[in-house]
Amino acid sequence: MINREWHLLSRPVGWPKPEDFALVEAEVPTPGEGQVLVRNKYLSVDPYMRGRMSAAKSYVAPFELGKVMQGGAVGEVVASNAEGIAAGDHLLHFFGWREYAVVDAKHAVKVDPEAAPLSTYLGVLGMTGLTAYAGLLRTASFKEGDSVFVSGAAGAVGSQVGQIAKLKGASRVIGSAGSDEKVKLLVEEYGFDAAFNYKAGPVGEQLREAAPEGVDVYFDNVGGDHLEAAIGLLNQGGRIAVCGMISVYNNTEPAPGPKNLARLIQTRGRIEGFLVGDHYDLQPQFVQEVGAWVRSGELKYRETVVEGIENNLEAFLGVLRGDNTGKMIVKL
C-alpha cells in the first residue's frame, strides 16, 4: 500500500511556490503499541500553516524540511493497537497532509459521524469554531449590546464570530470580505447588519459608514489597514482580539504598525492576542452550545471542498488568496 504525503522542501520567501513542496510516495506505516492507523478522509488547510513554513521562532515548532507537514485531519481507523479504539472508529487528529497516518491514541479524539458530518469537526465544530467562540467571548469579553466588527468575515472563523455575536445579543455586527458575493452572503445568509468589500475603497471610510456609532469589539483576522481602521473607531472601553494577520503573512519586509495606537489611551482600549490552544477548557461548553445552534439551523456554515490529496497545496494557497467561503477542506 502506498501513502502519498506532502513534504516541505524549502522555506518559502514571500508567497509559497510549488517548487517549495513535493508530493511524495511512501509506505503505509504500521501502528506500534498504543497507536492506530487512520485512513484520512478530510484534511484541513489553515492560514497559520504559513508561519510554520518559516524557520522563525514562534508559538509552535516550524515544519521540518524534507519531512511530511502536519495539520488537522479526520479519518477512519483501519488498524488499532490501542485500547478503547477499534477499526471503523473515526478520529480527529493532527497528522494531515497525507493519506494514511499513524497516531498515538492519547493524542486523538473520537468523533461521531452520525452526530455531525465528519468535515464539521475540522471547521464549525472544530478548531476554527472554538477559535471564534473563545476569541469573541473570552479574549474580547463580548457582552450583550456590543457593536462588533469582524475582518475576514466570510472565512471559517470570521463567519462564526459574527453569527455568535448576533446570537448573543450584539447591537450591530459588521464584516469585511474580499468580494461582493461574500458581502452579500454575510448579510443575507449569516445575518450581519452590514458588510463591505475591502477591495472597493479605503477600509477606514467604509467602516465609518457601516458603524456610525463606533465599535466595541474588533475581531482581527487580517491586521494592516483593518486594525488601524478599528482602532480609529473604537468606543471607550473597546476590546480588540487579535486572532491572525493574514495580510502580512507573505511579506518579506516588516509591515508598518497602526499609526493611531495613541488613541487607545483616549478610549482606554485593549488589544490582546490569543491562541486557541490556551482555551481548550471551553471545548465542552463550546460543543454543547454551538452544536445546538448548528442542529437548529440558527448558526449556518459553509465549506469550500477541494478533492484529492494532489490538490492539498493548491487548497492551502487558495486560503491565503481568500478563495474560500467558510472552511477550506480537502476531501480524500
Side-chain angles (χ1 to χ4, degrees):
M1 293 172 64
I2 297 298
N3 188 24
R4 289 183 294 172
E5 53 188 39
W6 280 96
H7 289 205
L8 181 66
L9 299 184
S10 57
R11 303 207 179 277
V13 177
W15 274 87
K17 302 180 293 296
E19 52 265 36
D20 295 323
F21 309 84
L23 182 60
V24 175
E25 290 188 350
E27 288 187 7
V28 173
T30 302
E33 187 66 31
Q35 295 183 323
V36 296
L37 176 64
V38 179
R39 180 170 62 85
N40 288 330
K41 291 191 170 184
Y42 294 94
L43 306 177
S44 178
V45 286
D46 303 280
Y48 80 86
M49 293 174 176
R50 176 62 183 87
R52 295 197 68 187
M53 294 171 189
S54 165
K57 188 175 181 180
S58 186
Y59 60 89
V60 64
F63 293 134
E64 294 184 59
L65 292 179
K67 294 190 178 180
V68 62
M69 294 182 289
Q70 299 173 336
V74 63
E76 182 178 354
V77 175
V78 294
S80 175
N81 204 3
E83 262 187 60
I85 298 179
D89 287 342
H90 291 83
L91 296 182
L92 173 67
H93 61 88
F94 205 68
F95 292 91
W97 289 85
R98 68 200 85 186
E99 291 175 306
Y100 289 86
V102 163
V103 181
D104 288 339
K106 63 183 179 182
H107 294 148
V109 178
K110 274 190 184 182
V111 294
D112 183 1
E114 300 298 322
L118 283 176
S119 59
T120 63
Y121 293 107
L122 296 174
V124 66
L125 296 179
M127 184 179 71
T128 54
L130 181 59
T131 299
Y133 190 85
L136 177 68
L137 301 183
R138 178 175 280 174
T139 306
S141 304
F142 171 85
K143 60 183 184 297
E144 186 177 353
D146 278 344
S147 172
V148 178
F149 171 44
V150 189
S151 58
V157 174
S159 59
Q160 210 156 333
V161 170
Q163 291 184 82
I164 292 172
K166 289 293 290 183
L167 288 164
K168 290 283 190 178
S171 61
R172 187 167 178 81
V173 174
I174 303 107
S176 72
S179 72
D180 292 341
E181 292 78 12
K182 290 180 179 180
V183 167
K184 184 178 179 182
L185 173 72
L186 292 177
V187 175
E188 295 185 1
E189 185 168 331
Y190 292 156
F192 282 57
D193 296 289
F196 60 86
N197 181 349
Y198 68 85
K199 297 176 182 177
V203 171
E205 293 178 11
Q206 294 194 82
L207 180 59
R208 192 173 300 111
E209 184 177 338
E213 296 185 9
V215 170
D216 299 303
V217 168
Y218 170 47
F219 193 103
D220 190 16
N221 289 306
V222 172
D225 53 358
H226 283 73
L227 177 57
E228 187 167 298
I231 292 171
L233 281 176
L234 203 63
N235 291 330
Q236 185 165 320
R239 291 87 64 204
I240 296 175
V242 181
C243 176
M245 292 194 174
I246 197 169
S247 69
V248 303
Y249 285 170
N250 294 305
N251 287 5
T252 55
E253 297 292 333
K259 298 189 293 289
N260 56 351
L261 281 174
R263 193 167 185 278
L264 295 174
I265 303 169
Q266 172 191 342
T267 62
R268 291 74 146 181
R270 169 167 62 86
I271 301 179
E272 183 177 344
F274 75 99
L275 297 174
V276 66
D278 296 332
H279 301 283
Y280 278 117
D281 61 299
L282 290 175
Q283 181 84 17
Q285 174 184 325
F286 156 72
V287 171
Q288 181 179 10
E289 189 165 24
V290 175
W293 287 333
V294 171
R295 287 190 297 273
S296 70
E298 293 173 276
L299 192 147
K300 299 174 175 60
Y301 68 94
R302 290 281 190 98
E303 294 175 340
T304 300
V305 180
V306 173
E307 300 258 355
I309 187 72
E310 64 277 8
N311 294 314
N312 210 97
L313 175 60
E314 181 55 30
F316 167 70
L317 296 175
V319 170
L320 298 183
R321 292 191 298 262
D323 294 350
N324 57 303
T325 299
K327 183 75 182 79
M328 181 74 89
I329 299 283
V330 178
K331 181 181 181 181
L332 304 189

